[in-house]
Amino acid sequence: QAWLSTMGRSIDMQQVLTAALKSSTVGTPFPNSDLGRQLNTVAKLISARSSLGLKRQVFFVSIGGFDTHGDEQLGQQNRLFGEISQAVSAFHQSTVDMGISDGVTLFSASDFGRTFASNGQGSDHGWGSHQFVVGGAVKGGQVFGSVPNQTLNGPDDTGAGRWIPTLSSDQLSASLARWFGADAGVIGTVLPHAAAFNALDLLA
């Protein structure tokens, strides 16, 4: 019975989303890439927020291919970074065109970085990595944290170029949560380690 109920809700929701997407109009051109198509769908769902009766929306999109242990790493990264740049640029432009850029924030997240040292063909799993935040409410033009001393076995290297992070992912998450409307109590519950770090002032 629980399975039937879940399936029924899924079918009903799919019909609602299909109708909303049909009535959605997004004039901004998007690249015909996997990430571009995902973000185009997100833009359409945002434009249909009134018909869906939603005031807050959260979307997840993804791009893979960075696990470059032995795969022509530089070529792969150039292609993937290019896809990200074009898709994110189009998405942000779509929010500007819709007049809602101050109410939309896009951010990246990854579970690990890559080693600075090569394994001969690519690189292995690392620690510290860089993330970006895009949107009309973002206090842009800033780099938070410190760029590591890029010396193998140097002061910021735990081995093979696994850089020690200078910011916690909880700091980024807490800043985004505050912008999204979460109060200190909610943030303390969801991100119990955030209080151990300085707050980031990312968004207006």
Side-chain angles (χ1 to χ4, degrees), residues 86-160:
Q86 293 171 17
V88 169
S89 178
F91 177 76
H92 177 62
Q93 186 59 50
S94 74
T95 67
V96 172
D97 293 344
M98 288 187 278
I100 56 170
S101 62
D102 286 351
V104 180
T105 298
L106 179 151
F107 63 95
S108 65
S110 176
D111 55 348
F112 59 81
R114 308 299 305 180
T115 58
F116 190 62
S118 172
N119 61 18
Q121 301 179 69
S123 64
D124 296 315
H125 294 192
W127 282 14
S129 59
H130 305 288
Q131 308 301 337
F132 61 85
V133 185
V134 178
V138 176
K139 298 176 181 179
Q142 302 181 78
V143 176
F144 291 87
S146 302
V147 176
N149 179 324
Q150 297 178 356
T151 303
L152 291 175
N153 300 314
D156 297 329
D157 184 10
T158 63

